[in-house]
């Protein structure tokens, strides 16, 4: 496990924008995660773990310290008290796992068959779709730290809320999710795979196919961010190479040559336009990662910018 210096991160994100990591390592095993965490600690550097990069907006100026991509992806189905349980390493691709399980007649994860990213990222973000969500299926996550200590936490210990958990908002990512266990049930191929196909079809109709990071803003209480952005007349609005999707206004797409700065500017534009019309402040669902200034972060969060004078 030897980190590489100045590695472009855009290829590791679904939006394909953003600058390099000062240091980067692909963690191909749980031990690599531990070694990476320890290396960062020994060098007194901040560390962040990423999965599929499908919920991230990485700053053009890159990410300080070490970025570890969790890519160990072994998957097994075990029995627990007669019931099937998915045991997956954090880097396993959630959608692929969900589809494969459905084809084997296991139910429980049909909702996830279109959710990009990894099993680990889903456990951190409480990913969900079509009425299902990670918190409802999760039996445990195993986290590791820089000393190689492992801790198995149940869903009730993870503070799950809408697209969030206690694992998400840490200043320094000094732990990593190594493994996830999820509850399955025996279904039939016909039923489980049928549901996957039904969900697929709905997705194809409602979501853009261009590069994106999924829903940009969380839905405000009792309304939909996409509806508010569309009502503000912003569909197909462009800043630089980034565009508010024609198909779904809560998606910002990168048809080819967008930058992180373009995506950020478009998010701010949508927030201001919607606020002006409705006094609703759209809260980002996408996570900013890397060298965004405190002012940029505060502006997006809708907080007053604190002066540092
Ligand atoms: C086209 C599209 C559609 C989408 N649709 C949905 C949807 O329907 N529902 C939904 O919930 N989301 C959706 N998303 C967003 C995204 O798929 C989820 O947020 C997903 O769970 C992110 O997983 P990831 O592995 O890509 O995590 P990343 O984006 O890489 O990281 C997300 C967070 O998890 C942390 N993290 C990741 N892996 C680890 C680990 N092993 N250990 C510790 N921390 C870790 C990161 O530090 C970061 O804080 C969509 C995205 C796209 C591009």
């Amino acid at each position: 496990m030897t980190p590489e210096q100045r590695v472009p991160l855009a290829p590791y994100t679904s939006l394909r924008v953003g600058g390099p990591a000062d240091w980067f390592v692909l963690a191909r095993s749980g031990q690599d995660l531990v070694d990476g965490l320890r290396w960062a600690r020994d060098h007194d550097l901040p560390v962040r773990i990423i999965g599929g990069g499908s919920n991230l907006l990485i700053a053009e100026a890159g990410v300080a310290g070490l970025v570890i991509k969790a890519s160990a992806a072994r998957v097994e189905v075990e029995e627990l008290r007669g019931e099937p349980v998915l045991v997956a390493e954090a880097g396993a691709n959630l959608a692929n796992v969900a589809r494969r399980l459905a084809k084997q007649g296991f139910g429980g994860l049909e909702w996830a068959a279109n959710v990009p990213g990894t099993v680990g990222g889903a456990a951190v973000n409480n990913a969900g779709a079509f009425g299902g969500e990670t918190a409802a299926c999760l039996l445990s996550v195993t986290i590791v730290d820089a000393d190689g200590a492992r801790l198995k936490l149940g869903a009730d210990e993870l503070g799950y809320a809408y697209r969030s958990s206690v694992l998400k908002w840490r200043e320094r990512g000094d732990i990593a999710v190594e493994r996830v266990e999820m509850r399955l049930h025996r279904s039939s191929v016909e039923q489980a795979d049928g549901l996957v196909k039904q969900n697929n079809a709905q997705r194809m109709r409602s979501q853009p196919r261009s590069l994106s990071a999924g829903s940009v803003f969380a839905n405000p209480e009792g309304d939909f961010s996409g509806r508010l952005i569309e009502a503000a007349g912003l569909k197909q609005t462009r800043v630089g190479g980034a565009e508010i999707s024609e198909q779904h206004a809560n998606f910002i797409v990168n048809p080819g040559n967008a930058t992180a700065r373009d995506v950020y500017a478009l998010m701010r534009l949508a927030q201001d336009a919607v606020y002006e019309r409705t006094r609703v402040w759209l809260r980002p669902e996408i996570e900013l990662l890397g060298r965004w200034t405190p002012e940029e972060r505060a502006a997006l969060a809708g907080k007053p910018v604190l002066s540092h004078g």
Side-chain angles (χ1 to χ4, degrees):
M1 197 287 326
T2 314
E4 276 180 81
Q5 209 163 0
R6 279 195 76 75
V7 173
L9 289 176
Y12 295 110
T13 69
S14 58
L15 262 170
R16 302 280 192 281
V17 300
D22 288 358
W23 296 93
F24 177 82
V25 73
L26 268 185
R28 293 195 170 83
S29 66
Q31 188 56 45
D32 279 355
L33 288 174
V34 175
D35 291 345
L37 293 169
R38 186 177 306 137
W39 185 91
R41 187 179 66 185
D42 291 348
H43 291 78
D44 198 25
L45 291 171
V47 55
R48 274 306 287 262
I49 322 294
I50 63 168
S54 54
N55 195 52
L56 302 176
L57 181 58
I58 293 180
E60 223 65 68
V63 183
L66 176 67
V67 172
I68 304 175
K69 177 171 163 58
S71 59
R74 262 180 316 167
V75 170
E76 279 167 34
V77 176
E78 295 181 358
E79 291 268 326
L80 181 69
R81 287 182 225 105
E83 291 300 323
V85 170
L86 167 70
V87 181
E89 287 185 293
N93 180 294
L94 178 67
N96 288 349
V97 169
R99 287 178 203 188
R100 215 174 328 133
L101 289 170
K103 286 198 190 304
Q104 293 165 4
F106 292 112
L109 286 182
E110 297 93 334
W111 59 268
N114 289 287
V115 177
T118 62
V119 169
V124 171
N125 275 2
N126 189 20
F130 300 109
E133 64 173 4
T134 310
C137 321
L138 191 121
L139 285 170
S140 73
V141 299
T142 302
I143 57 173
V144 289
D145 68 14
D147 293 315
R150 286 174 166 78
L151 187 62
K152 200 167 172 173
L153 299 167
D156 55 342
E157 296 171 277
L158 293 167
Y160 274 129
Y162 182 77
R163 304 292 173 264
S164 164
S165 73
V166 294
L167 298 168
K168 184 154 182 166
W169 306 110
R170 282 164 292 111
E171 282 293 296
R172 284 172 68 112
D174 45 6
I175 55 103
V177 174
E178 181 187 34
R179 232 159 73 116
V180 176
E181 295 183 335
M182 286 175 156
R183 196 180 299 112
L184 302 172
H185 61 257
R186 285 195 180 74
S187 179
S188 63
V189 176
E190 198 185 13
Q191 200 170 345
D193 199 40
L195 194 47
V196 164
K197 291 200 170 102
Q198 195 180 310
N199 292 346
N200 275 351
Q202 196 175 323
R203 277 273 160 139
M204 297 289 262
R205 281 194 299 274
S206 62
Q207 288 190 3
R209 297 206 202 153
S210 310
L211 302 173
S212 78
S215 295
V216 177
F217 298 106
N219 288 326
E221 193 70 33
D223 212 331
F224 294 96
S225 297
R227 193 195 72 75
L228 293 171
I229 298 168
E230 183 173 355
L234 294 178
K235 272 190 168 181
Q236 286 186 288
T237 301
R238 285 186 87 117
V239 173
E243 183 176 314
I244 293 182
S245 164
E246 188 198 357
Q247 219 170 339
H248 192 314
N250 199 22
F251 278 60
I252 291 179
V253 294
N254 173 13
N257 56 2
T259 64
R261 187 141 298 288
D262 297 338
V263 176
Y264 178 92
L266 209 38
M267 288 174 75
R268 289 285 303 106
L269 189 151
Q271 285 180 315
D272 286 345
V274 168
Y275 187 76
E276 196 148 302
R277 281 173 54 95
T278 63
R279 300 286 147 200
V280 171
W281 188 258
L282 297 176
R283 280 187 310 106
E285 191 165 310
I286 293 182
E287 186 181 340
L288 296 189
L289 179 62
R291 293 186 172 97
W292 297 99
T293 66
E295 288 76 13
E296 285 168 329
R297 288 177 183 272
L300 206 63
K303 293 183 183 147
V305 178
L306 302 172
S307 97
H308 301 283

